[in-house]
Amino acid sequence: MNKKQKKMLARIIISAVMLIVLHFIPVTGIAEFVLYFATYLIIGYDILKKAGKGILNRQIFDENFLMSVATLGAFILAIYEQSGDYVEGIAVMLFYQIGELFQSYAVGKSRKNISALMDIRPDYANLERDGKLQKVDPDEVEIGSIIVVQPGEKVPLDGIIKEGTSTLNTSALTGESMPRDAREGDEIISGCINMTGVLKVQTTKEFGESTVSKILELVENSSSRKSKSEDFISKFAKIYTPAVCYSALALAILPPLVQMIFLNVPAQWDVWVYRALTFLVISCPCALVISIPLSFFAGIGGASKEGVLIKGSNYLETLSRAKYVVFDKTGTLTQGVFEVSGVHHNEIENEKLLEYAALAECASSHPISKSLQKAYGKEIDRNRVTDIEEISGHGIVAKVDGETVAAGNSKLMKKLNIPYQDCHSVGTIIHMAINGTYAGHIVISDIIKLHSKEAVRELKHAGVEKTVMLTGDAKSVADQVAASLGIDEVYSDLLPADKVTKVEELLNLKQDSEKLAFVGDGINDAPVLTRADIGIAMGAMGSDAAIEAADVVLMDDDPMKIAKAIKISRKCIRIVYQNITLALVIKFACLGLGAIGIANMWFAIFADVGVMIIAVLNAIRALRVHNL
């Protein structure tokens, strides 16, 4: 408990003890009123204060106003009837404060997961100056500076390790407890914790653009993006609260007037005023106003602990309705680690063909280019390469040692009018031509991720009706991968723009109530992530494009997290609908009973505080996401 919660607990205990003691002390008259009213002020002064501020700010109708009118009215009735029964007014306020304390504790519990994530914010960065380490604000560190990260410290900025080896704790980012090894030349992102060795890191981004800043900004802004359910509750409360206040006023005045004027019997003002006050206590919309946002907050907090960052409750609600899941292949279902698995040549040696391919592709950062250079295994002399021309979706044409080398897919060969040999090998085929003559082809295979097949199966169990894979690979490769994973539909030979077109076609086919989620690696899938109903960026640590474009960010490369994210969202929405139904059904039933005099003030306490506690207990179930 925090200091404020402990103070409230003390007030609750003192008031409860005073109520018990006063029950056994034989006091009457003014002394009795003073002692009971002092007890009332101890437990309810803050509610009265908030109600007063609301009236001064012309924001009258809220739960504080309802509780103040109802409890003060109970005191006035006790004085009017000269019954000395002040217990009801105090009891209503006491149980209301118990409910508020319970709600505050529940919010704190759900906030804990997000607070743990917020702990990744670094307090300082170590700069080495004159042989000594100097702690500076991360905002003051310029790009290209060398910072020192000692064991136990947070990595303050993104960069490249220039010296040292260590293991990194990335659990705050990915939800995974397994540490990761890091060595010289590796990229390192802010927010990790250095566990063992001393690292010297050359920064590549300013603090405001670093991974940790992007993630913190995402989480901090998540509460501002409200779901339709939360908007409904906000609008409902604005109409509902004034309506019940005027209804209570009418209940207090109209029946006695009818008794006097039309029935010609004495007006029972005390009976109807009591019913009106009971009506007010019952009508408090606390269960709805508190539990619905708390449910979403708990869901987002529980997901963040698992390394699933959801940008707002509106995206959580949309994700829960996902019936179509569309995957990019490379980097999402496969590792994006390409390896040369075969070299087939005409009148040139294997090594020479690989050499030409690696040199022609030396200026590209594409994974296929890197795999060719890795297979070549020698240092690339870029002076041997000139006139490099990259043709999007086709390949590369360049001059190597003065000879024109073309390396790409079958589209490139057709574009250059070069006859080529069809290849039925499973993998990406790089056709090679030298000086306009076909020289052979190189087969490059991507590795399917360990849990991809299980992830697709889990999506079906989670209620996803159709899975689709989009890829720029050849049809034979795409069909083979889709069949091995159990994907329902596959579209191959797609350019980046074609993927957007295909997603738009799929969006037009589905019903309005169904949502389409696109899952990509976030590097070159930003347009599709933005176009889908819900964009999910996977393995997005360090990827600005993913964090900016996606609605849901999975911080590691495990495809199982996709199904988990959907299950979390659906559990959260189930809880929200349960709380809305529970609160409204019980509220309106009790309001009817209160209006006809069946429900008294004690019954009203259950209808208000009891329902709120049940709803809050149900809401914090959204935190339990580990075993989904």
Side-chain angles (χ1 to χ4, degrees), residues 519-546:
V519 188
D521 60 13
I523 297 170
N524 55 4
D525 295 318
V528 205
L529 287 166
T530 305
R531 183 63 189 89
D533 291 323
I534 190 88
I536 304 175
M538 195 165 123
M541 283 204 303
S543 172
D544 291 342

Side-chain angles (χ1 to χ4, degrees), residues 403-422:
E403 297 188 83
T404 302
V405 175
N409 55 25
S410 57
K411 294 178 185 177
L412 180 64
M413 297 296 108
K414 291 175 183 177
K415 184 179 181 68
L416 299 176
N417 295 317
I418 298 173
Y420 65 95
Q421 297 174 1
D422 283 325

